Amino acid sequence: MKPADSIQDLQYFGEFGGINPSISDASTYTFLSAKTMFDTFEGNADGCYLYSRHSSPSNLYLGEALAAMEGTETSNVSASGMGAITSVIMQLCSAGDHVVSSRTIYGGTYAFLKNFAPKLNIKTSFVDITSLKAIEAAITKNSKILYCEAVSNPLLEVANIAALSKIAKKHKLQLVVDNTFSPLSISPKKLGANIVIHSLTKFINGASDAIGGVVCGSQECIDDLRNVNDGAAMLLGATMDSLRAASILKNLRTLHIRIKQHSANALYLAQKFESLGLKTVYPGLVSHPSHHVFKAQMNAEFGFGGMLTVDVGSLKNANTLMELMQSKNLGYLAVSLGFYKTLFSAPGTSTSSEISEEEQKIMGLSEGLIRFSVGLDNDIERTYKAMFKCMQSVGVV
Ligand code: PLP
């Protein structure tokens, strides 16, 4: 089943026949018998709700749609992408365990693994995720997780998920893939990932009005996360609010249309920027070192995604250009992604600033790098022409 069709086929009605499901406006739920309440605590009363930090009807509707999209048995939505990521890592790892992670990942995830997890005696080796040899070499007897982003933030490295899955299986690791940059375009579970995570804050919600996250996985994995005795989602408490779950579900239904437009616009700009001689990184360009990997594992109709980077030589150039483009209303100088307007930022001083300058250099994150989340512009040629003028006036082309 294709991922967008799976979302389309879900059918929910509201309490009074509404064509959207009713929003569960309650933190707690009554029981007709005390025994059912006890059974629900014990996890033996399917279909009963207990308390909304555990689960709520609205969160389950959104979770079911996201699980359908990713092809997993089920999912658990959370208050943020970081709420999803940290709960999975803490659920799967105990003190003394080890994570093998891609070294180019979102700065917050990097900071968690590098600075916070060691407080719990969970250690991480950061590796070049495109080097299967480096990954194998980093695995120890204590390794529990192989962690990566399908398309990495901000360098747009592409993970070969089928190959990673083979390594994970061989060493009995859980392959955890953050698919925030490539929803619909890549289906990590179908390629062998055990757990798929999203920051819903980005393309999936697409309105830049909410923070949210999801963990998609097996029923057993999600039951573990929600367990009242030792579940990280239940006990750490990064729960999504029902009102928000309802609004994100409504936006999710147009994701397939938006992703196609984001991808088409990003491909257009990437090809133009590259032809100007700018160092441009976009997985849809043949010059991208992992273009063939993305192509082999993609759901072709959704394209190569809405994210691209260009290197304009220096931080000063990057800042001047971004300010100028914003003043011409070509997009906003803002972090995050997936909005209808183009968003641009210099990751070295923003979303990846948790990574030290030295480490940024090693991973190839240069100070003149601008990350673009390309918007839904109806006339991308017009946008390009105006961006070109800005680039000329800053002197980068
Ligand atoms: N994963 C990726 C790839 C991200 O870019 C981000 C945020 O920028 C996150 C996870 C964290 O998500 P959130 O901000 O919703 O906690």
Side-chain angles (χ1 to χ4, degrees), residues 291-328:
H291 172 69
H292 58 287
V293 175
F294 197 121
K295 210 168 167 187
Q297 64 186 7
M298 76 193 290
N299 299 313
E301 62 182 313
F302 299 108
F304 294 87
M307 303 302 294
L308 66 87
T309 67
V310 288
D311 191 337
V312 294
S314 69
L315 182 59
K316 186 166 175 288
N317 281 350
N319 288 343
T320 313
L321 179 61
M322 290 190 295
E323 285 168 12
L324 186 60
M325 288 192 297
Q326 175 163 259
S327 74
K328 302 286 179 199

Side-chain angles (χ1 to χ4, degrees), residues 238-264:
T239 308
M240 178 174 279
D241 183 74
S242 289
L243 283 169
R244 207 32 108 183
S247 78
I248 295 176
L249 176 63
K250 283 175 267 192
N251 291 347
L252 173 67
R253 294 167 178 159
T254 58
L255 180 65
H256 58 298
I257 301 168
R258 291 185 280 113
I259 287 291
K260 286 178 193 174
Q261 184 80 357
H262 283 298
S263 289

Side-chain angles (χ1 to χ4, degrees), residues 43-277:
N44 300 328
D46 265 358
C48 288
Y49 296 95
L50 180 69
Y51 183 63
S52 287
R53 174 155 46 79
H54 186 248
S55 68
S56 66
S58 295
N59 287 13
L60 292 189
Y61 290 135
L62 175 62
E64 195 175 325
L66 290 162
M69 178 181 86
E70 287 298 356
T72 58
E73 283 175 11
T74 186
S75 85
N76 187 59
V77 296
S78 53
S80 67
M82 284 309 294
I85 292 163
T86 55
S87 62
V88 163
I89 293 167
M90 287 194 266
Q91 191 70 37
L92 297 180
C93 290
S94 304
D97 287 343
H98 175 249
V99 177
V100 177
S101 168
S102 166
R103 67 182 179 198
T104 78
I105 47 174
Y106 165 58
T109 312
Y110 181 86
F112 176 76
L113 288 170
K114 177 105 201 256
N115 307 326
F116 195 101
K119 292 199 252 184
L120 310 172
N121 198 21
I122 298 167
K123 303 237 164 67
T124 300
S125 298
F126 294 97
V127 296
D128 174 355
I129 203 69
T130 63
S131 165
L132 303 180
K133 245 192 192 164
I135 296 165
E136 288 251 26
I139 295 170
T140 73
K141 63 178 187 351
N142 296 328
S143 303
K144 290 283 173 347
I145 296 178
L146 179 52
Y147 186 92
C148 68
E149 292 170 1
V151 177
S152 78
N153 182 1
L155 294 176
L156 309 181
E157 284 181 349
V158 178
N160 183 339
I161 296 167
L164 296 179
S165 156
K166 265 193 202 151
I167 296 179
K169 272 203 188 103
K170 183 170 144 198
H171 297 276
K172 299 196 170 54
L173 310 181
Q174 290 286 300
L175 176 58
V176 180
V177 179
D178 179 338
N179 199 25
T180 300
F181 272 34
S182 43
L184 294 178
S185 295
I186 296 179
S187 302
K189 165 68 173 60
K190 292 177 187 162
L191 299 162
N194 300 98
I195 294 174
V196 184
I197 291 175
H198 283 278
S199 164
L200 303 177
T201 315
K202 313 293 162 42
F203 289 103
I204 289 181
N205 185 49
S208 292
D209 61 354
I211 299 279
V214 69
V215 178
C216 301
S218 65
Q219 188 69 51
E220 188 186 355
C221 157
I222 301 304
D223 286 349
D224 285 350
L225 276 174
R226 288 202 191 119
N227 190 297
V228 295
N229 294 307
D230 62 3
M234 179 65 180
L235 299 178
L236 299 175
T239 308
M240 178 174 279
D241 183 74
S242 289
L243 283 169
R244 207 32 108 183
S247 78
I248 295 176
L249 176 63
K250 283 175 267 192
N251 291 347
L252 173 67
R253 294 167 178 159
T254 58
L255 180 65
H256 58 298
I257 301 168
R258 291 185 280 113
I259 287 291
K260 286 178 193 174
Q261 184 80 357
H262 283 298
S263 289
N265 284 353
L267 179 63
Y268 181 91
L269 288 185
Q271 285 170 338
K272 289 288 187 189
F273 292 159
E274 188 171 57
S275 73
L276 295 175

